[in-house]
Amino acid sequence: MEASNNRDIPKLREVFGRSFDIGAAVNPRTIRSQRELLAYHFNSLTPENEMKFESLHPAEDRYTFEQADEIADFAASNGKKLRGHTLVWHNQTTDWLFQDGKGGTVDAETLLARMKSHIHTVMKRYKDRIYAWDVVNEVIADEGPELLRRSKWLDIAGEGFIAKAFEYAHEADPNAELYYNDYNESHSAKREKIYTLVKGLIDRDVPIHGVGLQAHWNIHQPGLDEIRAAIERYASLGLQLQITELDVSVFDHEDRRTDLTEPSERMKDLLAERYGRFFELFREYRQHVAAVTFWGAADDYTWLDDFPVKGRKNWPLLFDERHRPKEAFWRVVNG
Ligand code: GLA
Protein backbone atom coordinates (compact mmCIF):
# COMPACT_ATOMS: atom_id res chain seq x y z
CA MET A 1 0.00 0.00 0.00
CA GLU A 2 1.12 3.48 -0.70
CA ALA A 3 1.50 5.85 2.21
CA SER A 4 -0.82 8.69 1.33
CA ASN A 5 0.21 11.10 4.07
CA ASN A 6 2.99 12.78 2.09
CA ARG A 7 0.76 15.27 0.34
CA ASP A 8 2.29 18.45 1.65
CA ILE A 9 5.95 17.83 0.95
CA PRO A 10 7.67 19.65 -1.94
CA LYS A 11 7.34 18.01 -5.34
CA LEU A 12 10.69 17.15 -6.87
CA ARG A 13 9.45 18.15 -10.31
CA GLU A 14 8.54 21.60 -8.99
CA VAL A 15 11.71 22.06 -6.97
CA PHE A 16 13.85 21.30 -10.04
CA GLY A 17 11.45 22.26 -12.82
CA ARG A 18 13.39 25.37 -13.82
CA SER A 19 16.69 23.48 -13.88
CA PHE A 20 15.99 20.05 -15.35
CA ASP A 21 13.39 17.30 -15.67
CA ILE A 22 13.12 14.78 -12.88
CA GLY A 23 12.45 11.22 -14.01
CA ALA A 24 12.07 7.68 -12.74
CA ALA A 25 12.40 4.27 -14.37
CA VAL A 26 9.14 2.33 -14.18
CA ASN A 27 7.71 -1.06 -15.07
CA PRO A 28 4.17 -2.42 -15.38
CA ARG A 29 4.17 -3.28 -11.68
CA THR A 30 5.46 0.03 -10.32
CA ILE A 31 3.10 2.17 -12.40
CA ARG A 32 0.49 0.59 -10.14
CA SER A 33 2.31 0.14 -6.83
CA GLN A 34 4.02 3.58 -7.02
CA ARG A 35 1.36 5.43 -8.96
CA GLU A 36 0.83 8.27 -6.47
CA LEU A 37 4.51 8.81 -5.83
CA LEU A 38 5.27 8.89 -9.57
CA ALA A 39 2.44 11.27 -10.31
CA TYR A 40 3.40 13.59 -7.47
CA HIS A 41 7.16 13.94 -7.82
CA PHE A 42 8.27 13.14 -11.35
CA ASN A 43 7.66 14.75 -14.74
CA SER A 44 9.44 12.15 -16.85
CA LEU A 45 9.46 8.35 -17.05
CA THR A 46 11.69 5.68 -18.60
CA PRO A 47 10.56 2.07 -19.12
CA GLU A 48 13.02 -0.03 -17.15
CA ASN A 49 12.98 -3.08 -19.47
CA GLU A 50 9.90 -2.91 -21.64
CA MET A 51 11.44 -1.17 -24.66
CA LYS A 52 14.58 -3.25 -24.79
CA PHE A 53 15.06 -5.40 -27.86
CA GLU A 54 14.14 -8.72 -26.22
CA SER A 55 10.98 -7.24 -24.75
CA LEU A 56 9.72 -5.70 -27.99
CA HIS A 57 10.94 -8.02 -30.70
CA PRO A 58 11.09 -11.71 -29.68
CA ALA A 59 11.08 -13.03 -33.27
CA GLU A 60 11.85 -11.46 -36.62
CA ASP A 61 8.23 -11.16 -37.68
CA ARG A 62 6.76 -10.55 -34.23
CA TYR A 63 6.63 -7.47 -32.04
CA THR A 64 5.20 -7.41 -28.51
CA PHE A 65 4.24 -3.85 -27.62
CA GLU A 66 1.69 -4.46 -24.86
CA GLN A 67 3.81 -3.61 -21.82
CA ALA A 68 5.62 -0.75 -23.54
CA ASP A 69 2.26 0.66 -24.63
CA GLU A 70 0.96 0.40 -21.11
CA ILE A 71 3.82 2.54 -19.84
CA ALA A 72 3.46 5.00 -22.72
CA ASP A 73 -0.27 5.30 -21.92
CA PHE A 74 0.45 5.82 -18.23
CA ALA A 75 2.92 8.59 -19.09
CA ALA A 76 0.48 10.27 -21.47
CA SER A 77 -2.50 10.10 -19.15
CA ASN A 78 -0.45 11.55 -16.29
CA GLY A 79 1.17 14.26 -18.41
CA LYS A 80 4.69 12.87 -18.06
CA LYS A 81 7.46 13.04 -20.62
CA LEU A 82 8.80 9.72 -21.83
CA ARG A 83 12.37 8.61 -22.63
CA GLY A 84 12.96 5.56 -24.80
CA HIS A 85 15.42 2.94 -23.58
CA THR A 86 17.12 1.37 -25.53
CA LEU A 87 17.54 0.57 -29.24
CA VAL A 88 20.97 -1.03 -29.63
CA TRP A 89 22.64 -2.94 -26.79
CA HIS A 90 24.66 -6.14 -26.33
CA ASN A 91 22.40 -7.32 -23.48
CA GLN A 92 18.72 -8.27 -23.37
CA THR A 93 18.72 -8.74 -27.12
CA THR A 94 17.26 -11.90 -28.66
CA ASP A 95 19.52 -14.38 -30.45
CA TRP A 96 17.52 -14.52 -33.68
CA LEU A 97 18.85 -11.07 -34.54
CA PHE A 98 22.37 -12.42 -35.01
CA GLN A 99 21.44 -15.77 -36.60
CA ASP A 100 20.80 -16.70 -40.21
CA GLY A 101 18.19 -19.40 -39.55
CA LYS A 102 20.56 -22.19 -40.70
CA GLY A 103 22.55 -22.37 -37.50
CA GLY A 104 25.07 -19.80 -38.67
CA THR A 105 25.75 -16.15 -38.06
CA VAL A 106 24.06 -13.51 -40.10
CA ASP A 107 26.12 -11.27 -42.40
CA ALA A 108 26.75 -7.58 -41.72
CA GLU A 109 24.34 -6.33 -44.33
CA THR A 110 21.46 -8.40 -42.97
CA LEU A 111 22.22 -7.39 -39.39
CA LEU A 112 22.17 -3.70 -40.29
CA ALA A 113 18.96 -4.15 -42.29
CA ARG A 114 17.35 -5.78 -39.24
CA MET A 115 18.63 -3.00 -37.01
CA LYS A 116 17.14 -0.41 -39.32
CA SER A 117 13.81 -2.15 -39.49
CA HIS A 118 13.67 -2.49 -35.68
CA ILE A 119 14.60 1.14 -35.06
CA HIS A 120 12.10 2.43 -37.63
CA THR A 121 9.25 0.27 -36.36
CA VAL A 122 9.78 1.11 -32.71
CA MET A 123 10.54 4.80 -33.03
CA LYS A 124 7.68 5.48 -35.42
CA ARG A 125 5.23 3.78 -33.10
CA TYR A 126 6.15 6.15 -30.26
CA LYS A 127 6.99 9.18 -32.40
CA ASP A 128 4.63 11.59 -30.72
CA ARG A 129 5.17 10.28 -27.22
CA ILE A 130 8.89 9.70 -26.79
CA TYR A 131 11.00 12.83 -26.98
CA ALA A 132 14.44 11.25 -26.44
CA TRP A 133 15.97 7.82 -27.04
CA ASP A 134 19.00 5.99 -25.71
CA VAL A 135 20.01 4.89 -29.20
CA VAL A 136 23.18 3.03 -28.31
CA ASN A 137 23.85 1.64 -24.83
CA GLU A 138 27.17 0.59 -23.28
CA VAL A 139 29.45 -0.10 -26.25
CA ILE A 140 32.63 1.09 -24.53
CA ALA A 141 35.08 -1.46 -23.06
CA ASP A 142 35.45 -1.01 -19.27
CA GLU A 143 39.03 -2.22 -19.09
CA GLY A 144 42.09 -2.36 -21.29
CA PRO A 145 43.21 -0.36 -24.28
CA GLU A 146 40.32 -1.25 -26.60
CA LEU A 147 37.79 1.48 -27.19
CA LEU A 148 34.84 -0.79 -27.89
CA ARG A 149 33.51 -3.78 -25.98
CA ARG A 150 33.43 -7.13 -27.79
CA SER A 151 29.87 -7.92 -28.84
CA LYS A 152 27.97 -9.62 -31.60
CA TRP A 153 27.18 -6.23 -33.02
CA LEU A 154 30.87 -5.39 -33.27
CA ASP A 155 31.98 -8.84 -34.44
CA ILE A 156 29.44 -8.99 -37.23
CA ALA A 157 28.96 -5.42 -38.39
CA GLY A 158 32.20 -3.71 -37.33
CA GLU A 159 32.35 -0.40 -35.50
CA GLY A 160 30.18 1.32 -38.13
CA PHE A 161 27.07 -0.13 -36.45
CA ILE A 162 27.14 2.70 -33.93
CA ALA A 163 26.92 5.52 -36.48
CA LYS A 164 24.32 3.54 -38.43
CA ALA A 165 22.12 3.24 -35.36
CA PHE A 166 22.06 7.02 -34.94
CA GLU A 167 21.44 7.59 -38.64
CA TYR A 168 18.51 5.17 -38.74
CA ALA A 169 17.11 6.71 -35.56
CA HIS A 170 17.30 10.19 -37.01
CA GLU A 171 15.53 9.06 -40.18
CA ALA A 172 12.83 7.33 -38.17
CA ASP A 173 12.04 10.37 -36.02
CA PRO A 174 13.92 13.56 -36.94
CA ASN A 175 12.51 15.29 -33.87
CA ALA A 176 13.77 12.82 -31.30
CA GLU A 177 16.81 13.67 -29.18
CA LEU A 178 19.34 10.91 -29.62
CA TYR A 179 21.62 9.80 -26.78
CA TYR A 180 24.66 7.64 -26.24
CA ASN A 181 24.27 6.08 -22.76
CA ASP A 182 26.84 4.33 -20.54
CA TYR A 183 27.84 3.42 -16.94
CA ASN A 184 31.17 3.96 -15.14
CA GLU A 185 30.90 7.24 -17.01
CA SER A 186 32.78 9.14 -14.27
CA HIS A 187 35.72 6.74 -14.21
CA SER A 188 38.58 8.68 -15.84
CA ALA A 189 39.77 6.02 -18.31
CA LYS A 190 36.27 5.14 -19.45
CA ARG A 191 35.28 8.79 -19.53
CA GLU A 192 38.02 9.45 -22.06
CA LYS A 193 36.90 6.51 -24.18
CA ILE A 194 33.30 7.70 -24.17
CA TYR A 195 34.52 11.17 -25.08
CA THR A 196 36.57 9.74 -27.96
CA LEU A 197 33.67 7.71 -29.30
CA VAL A 198 31.21 10.59 -29.18
CA LYS A 199 33.69 13.10 -30.57
CA GLY A 200 34.32 10.74 -33.48
CA LEU A 201 30.59 10.61 -34.20
CA ILE A 202 30.25 14.39 -34.05
CA ASP A 203 33.27 14.86 -36.34
CA ARG A 204 31.61 12.60 -38.89
CA ASP A 205 28.33 14.54 -38.65
CA VAL A 206 26.48 11.61 -37.15
CA PRO A 207 23.17 12.83 -35.66
CA ILE A 208 23.77 12.57 -31.91
CA HIS A 209 22.41 15.10 -29.44
CA GLY A 210 23.36 13.95 -26.00
CA VAL A 211 25.37 11.84 -23.61
CA GLY A 212 23.58 9.82 -20.95
CA LEU A 213 25.48 9.36 -17.69
CA GLN A 214 23.86 6.32 -16.12
CA ALA A 215 25.12 7.22 -12.64
CA HIS A 216 24.80 3.86 -10.88
CA TRP A 217 26.87 5.14 -7.99
CA ASN A 218 27.38 4.18 -4.34
CA ILE A 219 27.88 5.88 -0.97
CA HIS A 220 31.65 6.26 -1.59
CA GLN A 221 32.28 6.13 -5.31
CA PRO A 222 32.76 7.92 -7.62
CA GLY A 223 34.19 11.06 -6.03
CA LEU A 224 32.56 14.43 -6.56
CA ASP A 225 35.62 15.65 -8.42
CA GLU A 226 35.40 12.69 -10.81
CA ILE A 227 31.74 13.39 -11.50
CA ARG A 228 32.46 17.06 -12.07
CA ALA A 229 35.31 16.20 -14.45
CA ALA A 230 33.02 13.86 -16.39
CA ILE A 231 30.25 16.46 -16.69
CA GLU A 232 32.73 19.07 -17.89
CA ARG A 233 34.37 16.73 -20.36
CA TYR A 234 31.10 15.61 -21.96
CA ALA A 235 29.68 19.11 -21.92
CA SER A 236 32.78 20.28 -23.83
CA LEU A 237 31.47 18.25 -26.77
CA GLY A 238 28.67 20.79 -27.05
CA LEU A 239 25.97 18.16 -26.47
CA GLN A 240 23.36 18.09 -23.77
CA LEU A 241 23.72 15.71 -20.89
CA GLN A 242 21.23 13.64 -18.96
CA ILE A 243 21.72 11.68 -15.78
CA THR A 244 19.78 8.64 -16.96
CA GLU A 245 19.82 5.88 -14.30
CA LEU A 246 20.71 7.44 -10.96
CA ASP A 247 20.81 5.29 -7.85
CA VAL A 248 23.21 5.19 -4.93
CA SER A 249 23.93 1.74 -3.52
CA VAL A 250 24.48 1.71 0.23
CA PHE A 251 27.14 -0.96 -0.34
CA ASP A 252 30.63 -0.48 -1.71
CA HIS A 253 31.37 -2.43 -4.84
CA GLU A 254 33.42 -5.04 -2.94
CA ASP A 255 31.03 -5.26 0.03
CA ARG A 256 29.28 -8.63 0.01
CA ARG A 257 27.50 -8.55 3.39
CA THR A 258 23.98 -9.92 3.44
CA ASP A 259 23.01 -9.58 7.11
CA LEU A 260 21.28 -6.19 7.08
CA THR A 261 17.52 -5.82 7.25
CA GLU A 262 17.78 -2.04 7.10
CA PRO A 263 20.53 0.42 6.24
CA SER A 264 22.87 1.38 9.10
CA GLU A 265 22.86 4.95 10.44
CA ARG A 266 26.20 5.51 8.75
CA MET A 267 24.81 4.35 5.41
CA LYS A 268 21.83 6.67 5.78
CA ASP A 269 24.08 9.62 6.63
CA LEU A 270 26.39 8.98 3.72
CA LEU A 271 23.48 8.47 1.35
CA ALA A 272 21.95 11.80 2.38
CA GLU A 273 25.27 13.59 2.19
CA ARG A 274 26.07 12.18 -1.25
CA TYR A 275 22.64 12.88 -2.72
CA GLY A 276 22.77 16.43 -1.43
CA ARG A 277 26.13 17.02 -3.08
CA PHE A 278 25.11 15.39 -6.37
CA PHE A 279 22.15 17.69 -6.74
CA GLU A 280 24.25 20.70 -5.82
CA LEU A 281 26.51 19.72 -8.70
CA PHE A 282 23.62 19.06 -11.10
CA ARG A 283 22.20 22.48 -10.24
CA GLU A 284 25.56 24.09 -10.86
CA TYR A 285 25.66 22.49 -14.33
CA ARG A 286 21.97 22.94 -15.11
CA GLN A 287 22.85 24.67 -18.35
CA HIS A 288 24.16 21.29 -19.58
CA VAL A 289 22.06 18.81 -17.61
CA ALA A 290 18.64 18.47 -19.23
CA ALA A 291 17.21 15.75 -16.99
CA VAL A 292 17.97 13.64 -13.95
CA THR A 293 16.29 10.23 -13.99
CA PHE A 294 16.37 7.84 -11.04
CA TRP A 295 16.54 4.12 -11.76
CA GLY A 296 13.43 3.45 -9.74
CA ALA A 297 11.33 5.66 -7.48
CA ALA A 298 11.32 4.15 -3.98
CA ASP A 299 13.14 1.42 -2.06
CA ASP A 300 10.29 -1.10 -2.28
CA TYR A 301 11.48 -1.86 -5.80
CA THR A 302 15.07 -1.56 -7.03
CA TRP A 303 17.03 -3.69 -9.49
CA LEU A 304 19.81 -3.61 -6.81
CA ASP A 305 17.84 -6.03 -4.61
CA ASP A 306 19.66 -9.29 -5.33
CA PHE A 307 22.22 -7.65 -7.60
CA PRO A 308 25.12 -8.16 -7.60
CA VAL A 309 24.70 -10.08 -4.32
CA LYS A 310 21.88 -12.64 -4.20
CA GLY A 311 19.57 -12.40 -1.20
CA ARG A 312 20.59 -8.85 -0.32
CA LYS A 313 18.27 -5.87 -0.17
CA ASN A 314 19.48 -2.37 -1.06
CA TRP A 315 18.11 1.11 -0.24
CA PRO A 316 19.43 3.36 -3.00
CA LEU A 317 16.63 5.88 -3.64
CA LEU A 318 15.13 9.02 -2.07
CA PHE A 319 11.94 7.35 -0.78
CA ASP A 320 11.73 4.40 1.58
CA GLU A 321 9.82 1.16 1.16
CA ARG A 322 6.60 2.89 2.23
CA HIS A 323 7.27 5.83 -0.09
CA ARG A 324 8.14 8.21 2.73
CA PRO A 325 10.85 10.78 1.99
CA LYS A 326 14.23 9.83 3.45
CA GLU A 327 16.78 12.26 4.84
CA ALA A 328 18.41 12.11 1.38
CA PHE A 329 15.23 13.60 -0.09
CA TRP A 330 15.42 16.61 2.23
CA ARG A 331 19.08 17.19 1.43
CA VAL A 332 18.28 17.15 -2.27
CA VAL A 333 15.33 19.50 -1.88
CA ASN A 334 16.87 21.93 0.58
CA GLY A 335 20.17 22.09 -1.30
C1 GLA B 1 22.02 -0.85 -17.41
C2 GLA B 1 20.95 -0.67 -18.46
C3 GLA B 1 19.62 -0.57 -17.82
C4 GLA B 1 19.42 -1.59 -16.74
C5 GLA B 1 20.49 -1.47 -15.74
C6 GLA B 1 20.20 -2.40 -14.62
O1 GLA B 1 22.36 0.30 -16.79
O2 GLA B 1 21.13 0.47 -19.26
O3 GLA B 1 18.65 -0.76 -18.80
O4 GLA B 1 19.41 -2.88 -17.28
O5 GLA B 1 21.70 -1.75 -16.40
O6 GLA B 1 18.85 -2.36 -14.26
Side-chain angles (χ1 to χ4, degrees), residues 44-47 82-85 130-132 134 179 242 244 293:
S44 174
L45 303 174
T46 304
L82 191 59
R83 298 188 85 251
H85 176 80
I130 293 188
Y131 79 100
D134 293 326
Y179 278 79
Q242 288 200 13
T244 52
T293 298

Side-chain angles (χ1 to χ4, degrees), residues 219 247-251 258-264 267-268 271 275 298-300 302 304-305 312-321 326 328:
I219 47 174
D247 49 26
V248 181
S249 170
V250 301
F251 299 99
T258 54
D259 57 321
L260 292 180
T261 52
E262 57 179 311
S264 68
M267 286 170 169
K268 289 188 211 166
L271 189 88
Y275 262 120
D299 289 346
D300 54 317
T302 162
L304 291 172
D305 288 348
R312 184 180 74 179
K313 169 128 195 78
N314 211 321
W315 300 273
L317 297 161
L318 297 186
F319 300 94
D320 72 10
E321 290 162 86
K326 294 156 63 171

